[in-house]
Amino acid sequence: MIAYLIRRVLQSVGVLLAVSLVVFLGIYAIGNPAAILLPDDATGAELDAAIASLGLDRPLPLQYFTFLGNAIRGDLGTSFVFNTPSIELIFARLPATLELAITAMLFAVLLGIPLGLWAGLKPGSAFDETVVTGSILGFSMPNFWQGMMLIMIFAVGLGILPANGRGETGTILGIETSFATADGIRHLILPALNLALFKLALMIRLTRTGVREVIGLDYVKFARAKGLSEQRVLMVHVLKNILVPIVTIMGMEFGSLIAFATITETIFAWPGMGKLLIDSINNLDRPVVVAYVMVVTLMFVVINLLVDVAYSALDPRVRLGGNAP
Amino acid sequence: MAAQGDHGSPVLADQEQPQWRQQWQQFAESRRAWLALWVIVILLLAALFAPVIAPQNPYDLTQIDLFDGRLPPGSVGESGFIYVLGSDVQGRDMLSAMLYGLRNSLFVGVLSAVFAVGIGVCLGLIAAYAGGWIDALIMRIVDFMLGFPTILVALVLLAVLGQGVGKVILALVIVQWAYFARAVRGIALVERRKEYVEAAMCLNLGSARILFHHILPNCMPPVIVIGTMQIASAISLEATLSFLGLGLPITEPSLGLLIANGFNYLMAGLYWISVFPGLLLLVAIFSLNVVGDRLRDVLNPRLQR
């Protein structure tokens, strides 16, 4: 187990290094940052001075190590637009994105498991057909359009839910969050639904497939033969066994929720770090883009590591570190 | 690829009905899939012949009347032109704009999937056949690519590369190829150990011939399934990028860009500018996914045994 852990951590560090190299080459080496920083009418001498002061005249590997050294100390450059360290900008927006992602995940789990369970128990029924078609529809609907439809129906048409921004925030445990006020929660519903729909569809499919695979197995038949109530068979024997892969996949999907939040935040003007990324791309604010990529990669790597370790701990059948062909 | 089922004499059954016929019949058993396939064919034809069937050329300024802007669906313009699905703020016929948009969306989606299949299949085959460090290297890159959500990779790529049709396609290929490489490698590894490959090796056939002539055909079913789904997700991803302002340029708008334009007028009640292109996009992606789903059921040898 320890050897596996060490190998897995080393692998994660490798991924981080690879991303940092790709980001460095992509963002710093392509194009000339000095030319972007200086006004258009700068002379050649001014340009040379800027290049020297930024260290761009040094060999590329040396520049990379400087970049890496700064990154480890948490210095990922200063935003051109806000003139503050880009990493601080990201962290200031992180809570808004996290609360959105967590709420979306809750929606997906709390709606998806019951629907998938019900559909899986009655394959071929009208309910099953509807749920399956609905989940394909959920997969197919582009996130941004679905968000616009939510706005059209609930905000413009019915006028019952707000579609803009985060609403009133309060502080819980020193973190500013929308969970703290009723207005904040009302603002959270539409964006979270928008973000959840894709994962909800996934959740339904996973649960439905899981139920259909497990329901015919001997241990379920045995549990029924023992005379256990149908409810106990379902809730304890069936659900427990399909939950392990579901939890694993949902854990990994949490990272992609944060990535997809860029779209949701853009539609609903949600002041999270995804909106910051889009704004920064449009403003050519490269240090913020770099900081976003590095922070999100770090989150991904950590989440995947935790999920892998948890999975191997939960399911003894998983061969630790084995490379299945 | 044994798909004979448990009948008494599978060989005879096979002679009576070729495998593809059986699979086709099985595919058509699902009315949903059958309908979706027809929708795809119609959409493809509509996209192909968009300049012929569109009531107006929405990007020819001489054909657009600014006074006909913001007309709701079914309105008749000043010149007697009927705007079946309404017009946008510039007085562009929505139906025509959607047909041209569909053309651009499908073009980008299909082309990027084709390139991704080409690259992914070749790398997957090479990884499986070569093994050793080449396999390890290719698969590490695949794992790396699949570790990140496509939207994030595409966003960052386009942030670095800038805009343009070619760049969008490049970004879509980069995020898609790994799916094909992984699938093909998995099957090729199994196929490689089978007797027919051994026989081909004994005949001293070249590696390229064994790979592409003998192993590749057996890898095609999953490639077709993933390909169908990937076209759908490429179209969706391109639309999303366009919506965020990083997709196709304004001179060649896709459905995504049409929807993005309409978003600004949604609050003002001009719903048709964004709702109709969105519905068309949804129908296209949904149909592709339904067909892909059915193909997976039909072509999956595990389910047939």
Side-chain angles (χ1 to χ4, degrees):
Chain A
M1 186 74 190
I2 289 172
Y4 169 71
L5 264 181
I6 292 173
R7 238 189 37 205
R8 201 57 194 72
V9 170
L10 283 180
Q11 220 176 336
S12 306
V13 173
V15 170
L16 276 175
L17 282 177
V19 171
S20 72
L21 187 64
V22 171
V23 163
F24 170 77
L25 288 178
I27 299 210
Y28 280 87
I30 298 176
N32 189 346
I36 299 170
L37 280 171
L38 288 177
D40 286 338
D41 55 353
T43 61
E46 279 174 325
L47 202 64
D48 287 342
I51 287 174
S53 78
L54 287 169
L56 296 175
D57 52 349
R58 290 180 300 157
L60 213 55
L62 210 65
Q63 285 188 47
Y64 173 64
F65 284 119
T66 316
F67 166 77
L68 206 61
N70 288 341
I72 289 168
R73 278 182 275 120
D75 176 11
L76 286 166
T78 304
S79 160
F80 298 154
V81 176
F82 298 93
N83 208 19
T84 42
S86 49
I87 196 98
E88 280 177 23
L89 280 172
I90 300 283
F91 282 135
R93 306 282 195 104
L94 188 61
T97 298
L98 280 183
E99 74 185 17
L100 191 61
I102 290 169
T103 316
M105 191 56 100
L106 280 176
F107 276 150
V109 170
L110 295 181
L111 290 173
I113 291 184
L115 283 175
L117 200 62
W118 193 260
L121 285 176
K122 297 182 173 165
S125 67
F127 180 80
D128 181 47
E129 281 283 307
T130 316
V131 168
V132 170
T133 311
S135 80
I136 302 181
L137 207 62
F139 272 120
S140 307
M141 214 180 311
N143 220 291
F144 67 98
W145 188 70
Q146 176 239 327
M148 287 166 58
M149 293 304 105
L150 285 179
I151 292 180
M152 196 178 87
I153 297 167
F154 292 101
V156 180
L158 300 173
I160 47 174
L161 285 170
N164 224 310
R166 218 178 156 193
E168 214 179 298
T169 55
T171 39
I172 298 178
L173 299 173
I175 301 165
E176 211 179 300
T177 167
S178 292
F179 289 134
T181 66
D183 184 54
I185 290 174
R186 266 165 48 82
H187 276 81
L188 198 54
I189 295 174
L190 283 187
L193 259 183
N194 170 239
L195 194 54
L197 204 79
F198 213 75
K199 301 299 162 211
L200 177 64
L202 180 68
M203 200 76 209
I204 289 174
R205 305 204 116 202
L206 284 174
T207 315
R208 182 177 171 274
T209 317
V211 169
R212 288 190 60 185
E213 272 174 15
V214 161
I215 206 85
L217 293 185
D218 285 346
Y219 84 94
V220 176
K221 286 183 195 154
F222 182 68
R224 282 188 174 140
K226 274 202 301 187
L228 296 179
S229 72
E230 193 60 28
Q231 200 186 345
R232 194 176 155 79
V233 172
L234 276 187
M235 290 302 154
V236 178
H237 296 260
V238 171
L239 205 55
K240 209 169 145 189
N241 272 281
I242 59 176
L243 228 45
V244 175
I246 289 177
V247 169
T248 318
I249 293 178
M250 283 338 247
M252 289 194 228
E253 291 293 325
F254 191 75
S256 92
L257 269 184
I258 287 171
F260 272 100
T262 50
I263 303 159
T264 304
E265 287 172 7
T266 307
I267 305 168
F268 291 91
W270 190 265
M273 57 188 210
K275 189 167 183 335
L276 181 69
L277 173 73
I278 303 295
D279 292 345
S280 302
I281 289 175
N282 287 328
N283 294 333
L284 300 175
D285 197 352
R286 290 183 167 187
V288 181
V289 177
V290 172
Y292 178 89
V293 173
M294 291 315 298
V295 168
V296 168
T297 307
L298 184 66
M299 286 170 74
F300 266 54
V301 164
V302 172
I303 291 171
N304 281 345
L305 184 65
L306 290 178
V307 168
D308 275 6
V309 172
Y311 189 50
S312 54
L314 277 175
D315 194 334
R317 283 170 307 179
V318 179
R319 274 188 298 147
L320 287 184
N323 252 339
Chain B
M1 298 310 297
Q4 292 94 342
D6 341 348
H7 309 297
S9 59
V11 181
L12 198 68
D14 252 10
Q15 277 171 350
E16 283 168 355
Q17 263 190 339
Q19 196 189 354
W20 67 266
R21 271 294 280 279
Q22 283 180 13
Q23 287 172 337
W24 168 245
Q25 275 172 1
Q26 212 185 334
F27 177 88
E29 265 170 35
S30 161
R31 271 183 54 206
R32 187 167 56 190
W34 174 248
L35 203 71
L37 190 65
W38 271 109
V39 171
I40 293 173
V41 170
I42 292 168
L43 289 183
L44 274 176
L45 289 176
L48 206 61
F49 295 107
V52 184
I53 53 173
Q56 70 169 203
N57 179 352
Y59 302 102
D60 177 3
L61 291 176
T62 57
Q63 293 187 29
I64 299 169
D65 191 347
L66 208 57
F67 292 107
D68 283 352
R70 300 167 185 252
L71 291 178
S75 307
V76 180
E78 299 209 325
S79 57
F81 185 91
I82 301 167
Y83 294 92
V84 183
L85 296 179
S87 67
D88 71 1
V89 205
Q90 274 107 31
R92 208 168 268 149
D93 175 42
M94 279 315 293
L95 178 64
S96 310
M98 281 162 61
L99 285 168
Y100 276 77
L102 181 71
R103 192 177 157 90
N104 289 328
S105 287
L106 285 181
F107 173 74
V108 170
V110 172
L111 202 63
S112 67
V114 167
F115 280 127
V117 165
I119 296 170
V121 165
C122 286
L123 286 176
L125 283 178
I126 290 170
Y129 201 75
W133 68 269
I134 299 177
D135 182 28
L137 179 70
I138 293 177
M139 290 324 284
R140 275 294 91 78
I141 300 176
V142 166
D143 287 344
F144 182 75
M145 291 305 302
L146 295 181
F148 296 95
T150 50
I151 178 74
L152 196 65
V153 180
L155 265 180
V156 173
L157 272 173
L158 287 172
V160 175
L161 295 174
Q163 272 192 321
V165 181
K167 285 163 183 171
V168 170
I169 293 177
L170 178 67
L172 290 175
V173 172
I174 290 176
V175 299
Q176 285 185 92
W177 69 271
Y179 292 95
F180 298 102
R182 188 176 59 176
V184 167
R185 173 184 174 268
I187 307 155
L189 274 180
V190 177
E191 294 295 322
R192 222 185 80 138
R193 298 196 198 103
K194 289 194 177 163
E195 279 162 2
Y196 74 95
V197 175
E198 220 171 286
M201 280 174 164
C202 291
L203 288 172
N204 204 16
L205 299 178
S207 303
R209 192 182 154 90
I210 294 177
L211 271 180
F212 289 100
H213 204 262
H214 295 268
I215 296 182
L216 181 61
N218 287 312
C219 300
M220 282 326 276
V223 170
I224 293 168
V225 174
I226 301 173
T228 317
M229 305 271 202
Q230 282 300 320
I231 293 176
S233 84
I235 292 172
S236 176
L237 188 57
E238 186 281 316
T240 307
L241 292 170
S242 281
F243 176 76
L244 294 172
L246 291 163
L248 294 188
I250 205 122
T251 48
E252 284 161 279
S254 68
L255 289 173
L257 204 63
L258 292 182
I259 300 170
N261 287 338
F263 184 42
N264 303 321
Y265 304 101
L266 190 64
M267 296 289 189
L270 307 179
Y271 67 91
W272 56 92
I273 306 179
S274 53
V275 169
F276 291 138
L279 280 177
L280 184 58
L281 187 64
L282 178 62
V283 167
I285 298 172
F286 181 67
S287 308
L288 281 166
N289 279 338
V290 168
V291 168
D293 215 44
R294 187 66 193 161
L295 282 175
R296 180 168 50 200
D297 289 348
V298 172
L299 295 177
N300 188 351
R302 257 191 311 173
L303 285 178
Q304 286 171 346
R305 251 170 231 157

